[in-house]
Amino acid sequence: VLTAFAYVGHYQAEREHRRYYQLYQRMSATAAEAERRRQEAEDQRAEAEASKKEVERAKGEVEQQREMALLAKAEADRQARVAQSAQCVAENLRARAEDLVQEL
């Protein structure tokens, strides 16, 4: 009778051990999955941060190009004014030269 109780006790202990070991395996798998998801989220966050920095850098480049275009336009406008002024001076000199020629 004791042998039967011992056998039943051993069988139940072995069953409990298997059950807890299976539970441990499931929990370990769940923990590994959670860690994998956490790492994915961290990678996505880092990627988003890098994208944000790239966007900021591109915005800075666009702003710099816009400023350079404005400077180039201002210089072109200045040169157009200089050319117009030179044309006026040339016309005045030509008119004066014609006046001098008529006086002679």
Side-chain angles (χ1 to χ4, degrees):
V1 175
L2 287 179
T3 306
F5 283 127
Y7 179 74
V8 169
H10 174 71
Y11 175 74
Q12 286 177 339
E14 197 173 290
R15 228 175 66 200
E16 286 291 311
H17 172 72
R18 272 196 308 268
R19 195 179 89 183
Y20 282 115
Y21 185 71
Q22 288 171 351
L23 178 62
Y24 164 76
Q25 286 180 320
R26 283 196 307 269
M27 296 300 283
S28 293
T30 302
E33 178 66 16
E35 176 59 24
R36 185 188 64 76
R37 286 183 182 172
R38 186 200 64 76
Q39 187 61 48
E40 269 183 19
E42 180 65 25
D43 292 347
Q44 288 175 351
R45 187 199 63 74
E47 192 174 306
E49 187 67 28
S51 290
K52 181 180 175 185
K53 287 179 182 177
E54 181 64 24
V55 165
E56 290 301 318
R57 187 194 62 76
K59 281 182 182 177
E61 268 186 35
V62 166
E63 183 62 26
Q64 185 179 20
Q65 292 295 326
R66 188 183 71 76
E67 289 173 5
M68 288 175 67
L70 289 174
L71 289 173
K73 182 185 180 308
E75 178 62 18
D77 290 347
R78 186 190 70 78
Q79 288 181 4
R81 286 191 306 274
V82 167
Q84 186 177 9
S85 177
Q87 184 179 359
C88 288
V89 168
E91 287 175 6
N92 287 341
L93 287 174
R94 185 179 50 79
R96 191 165 173 213
E98 288 174 2
D99 290 345
L100 287 175
V101 166
Q102 287 179 2
E103 285 179 14
L104 290 178

